[in-house]
Amino acid sequence: MSDKKIVYSGIQPSGNLTLGNYIGALRNFPKLQEDYDCIYCIVDMHAITVPQEPKVLRAHTLDILALYLAVGIDPEKSILYIQSHVPQHVELMWLLNTMTGLGQLQRMTQFKAKAGDNKEVYAGLLNYPVLMAADILLYGSHYVPVGDDQKQHIEMTRDLAERFNSRYSDTFVLPEMLKTKVGGRVMSLQEPTKKMSKSDPDANGYVLILDDDATIRRKFKRAVTDSQGKIAYNDDQPGIKNLLDIYSACSGKSIEDLLKAYEGKGYGVLKEDVAEAVIQEIGPVRERFHEIRGNKAYLEEVYTSGAQKAAYRANKILRKCYKKMGFIPR
Ligand code: TYM
């Protein structure tokens, strides 16, 4: 193990990934490999907090692994694995569950949003953040690159780490959220005050990483704007603001430069150019994805060796927790 700081993140295989997942999280992962000791997980245990079709879950799990590889995560440099292959996550979750307030879990915005008006809400959905805390704490992670919507989960992870440390002596690192400069919250193309999400019933609200070029152009063409007719970056024009954020994230150009370049221009041109910038950015990823996804043997090799490395590390921290809490070692 190196003395580099540890970066940890995860993505749920609960559907096809959106441009939001890509800009807010995925595309930042390979860049971190050079400076940090990186661990990237496919959090299939989190995905089942909402109903999943078994065949589809299996396919999506391998899709995420292929996407991790397609964006340039190198399994020689980073650990890539599937959460359910390392049962220590669930063990630590149980330990942390015994020190997590029910009220705190019920107040989590994501829980409230997902539970919504559903008559049947399962305990797994409520305990989702405890499993996420276990994921992160199990590896002594220093930084967690995630989109803005995960802020509350990271705060709760820190709370739990502090609680454990003060009760049983210093054990866990207090992790910090690593925010992206632009695109920490990509909004829906149809309702730009709402986060872009793969669970949106309106498919025009999101762009998928695996959408083809024509679909991407069509979705941007239909993107909701406003009737102000000027290209500006402010909260009164959430549709335009979102388009500029996506454009800036995909082109590398600053918002100021974009505002100068589009002064006096129409929304139609902006939408077309954003679509092209997105295609430029994700087109190559999509191509590599299709090459890698077909190679089942390679994927299996990557997740098998990833799970071995992850379990080795996870076990070390978990044993410490058990010991400190008073369990008899095996
Ligand atoms: P998930 O699978 O919902 O999302 C994966 C990542 O994508 C980011 N994201 C977005 N970023 C910007 N704009 C958006 N519209 C957008 N939508 C999603 C998310 O912030 C996330 O970074 N709870 C996590 C999974 C998880 C995890 C972990 C993450 C489980 N354990 C440990 C880090 C560390 C989640 O819901 O991801």
Side-chain angles (χ1 to χ4, degrees):
M1 223 191 288
S2 68
D3 50 11
K4 287 180 181 169
K5 291 251 164 93
I6 297 168
V7 160
Y8 188 96
S9 200
I11 295 184
Q12 297 188 72
S14 53
N16 293 310
L17 293 196
T18 68
L19 187 61
N21 296 125
Y22 177 76
I23 296 176
L26 186 60
R27 74 168 189 162
N28 307 308
F29 296 173
K31 298 179 210 155
L32 296 162
Q33 295 179 115
E34 307 311 323
D35 299 321
Y36 299 98
D37 178 9
C38 297
I39 309 174
Y40 298 119
C41 184
I42 301 150
V43 291
D44 52 352
M45 300 290 245
H46 277 105
I48 60 159
T49 55
V50 296
Q52 298 290 337
E53 180 69 40
K55 217 165 67 189
V56 178
L57 178 64
R58 261 192 295 276
H60 281 152
T61 302
L62 295 180
D63 284 352
I64 308 272
L65 180 61
L67 274 172
Y68 275 159
L69 295 162
V71 293
I73 298 174
D74 176 354
E76 298 296 322
K77 290 185 185 154
S78 303
I79 298 180
L80 275 178
Y81 73 105
I82 299 170
Q83 189 185 28
S84 60
H85 292 181
V86 182
Q88 286 86 349
H89 288 242
V90 180
E91 293 183 66
L92 180 59
M93 178 191 73
W94 180 251
L95 304 185
L96 296 175
N97 253 332
T98 63
M99 48 191 87
T100 306
L102 190 57
Q104 192 175 13
L105 289 173
Q106 283 165 333
R107 284 192 298 275
M108 300 298 279
T109 24
Q110 290 224 340
F111 170 70
K112 287 197 277 188
K114 282 196 184 168
D117 299 327
N118 285 349
K119 280 197 198 79
E120 296 222 59
V121 176
Y122 296 104
L125 191 62
L126 183 71
N127 287 318
Y128 180 111
V130 190
L131 180 57
M132 179 159 164
D135 298 340
I136 298 168
L137 299 178
L138 208 41
Y139 298 91
S141 317
H142 299 90
Y143 300 112
V144 187
V146 278
D148 290 357
D149 61 341
Q150 299 300 310
K151 188 166 175 260
Q152 218 184 9
H153 289 157
I154 307 293
E155 281 164 4
M156 175 153 176
T157 304
R158 291 172 62 91
D159 273 4
L160 285 172
E162 270 181 327
R163 207 166 298 159
F164 191 101
N165 287 353
S166 75
R167 207 178 283 181
Y168 300 106
S169 83
D170 233 11
T171 310
F172 294 127
V173 172
L174 298 197
E176 280 172 43
M177 176 168 165
L178 209 57
K179 286 178 75 159
T180 76
K181 282 195 202 86
V182 260
R185 193 170 176 82
V186 176
M187 310 307 271
S188 155
L189 297 184
Q190 289 301 312
E191 275 186 78
T193 49
K194 260 179 42 188
K195 175 183 90 163
M196 181 182 283
S197 163
K198 53 198 167 206
S199 54
D200 190 335
D202 182 355
N204 285 319
Y206 53 78
V207 169
L208 298 176
I209 305 182
L210 301 179
D211 274 345
D212 59 32
D213 293 355
T215 307
I216 296 176
R217 289 194 185 99
R218 194 190 66 231
K219 287 182 176 173
F220 277 104
K221 204 169 180 180
R222 293 189 183 161
V224 165
T225 50
D226 53 59
S227 55
Q228 299 198 31
K230 63 173 196 320
I231 294 177
Y233 189 79
N234 59 55
D235 291 335
D236 286 347
Q237 293 182 263
I240 298 297
K241 186 174 186 233
N242 190 35
L243 289 175
L244 288 168
D245 276 334
I246 294 172
Y247 199 175
S248 170
C250 290
S251 66
K253 293 178 188 155
S254 69
I255 299 287
E256 295 77 59
D257 285 351
L258 290 175
L259 287 174
K260 269 186 223 146
Y262 284 86
E263 204 183 327
K265 291 194 180 162
Y267 291 168
V269 186
L270 175 67
K271 288 183 185 182
E272 275 171 26
D273 292 354
V274 179
E276 292 316 311
V278 169
I279 290 168
Q280 289 280 321
E281 170 81 13
I282 62 177
V285 174
R286 199 171 52 204
E287 270 171 41
R288 277 196 299 277
F289 167 84
H290 289 301
E291 283 164 29
I292 298 166
R293 182 65 175 87
N295 193 344
K296 286 244 169 64
Y298 175 58
L299 294 176
E300 192 178 325
E301 199 181 297
V302 171
Y303 69 64
T304 308
S305 95
Q308 272 168 8
K309 292 184 223 164
Y312 176 78
R313 294 204 195 180
N315 217 27
K316 277 193 173 173
I317 297 197
L318 185 67
R319 294 299 127 206
K320 266 195 211 163
C321 297
Y322 276 142
K323 194 164 171 223
K324 290 189 185 196
M325 289 178 79
F327 290 94
I328 308 255
R330 274 189 259 154

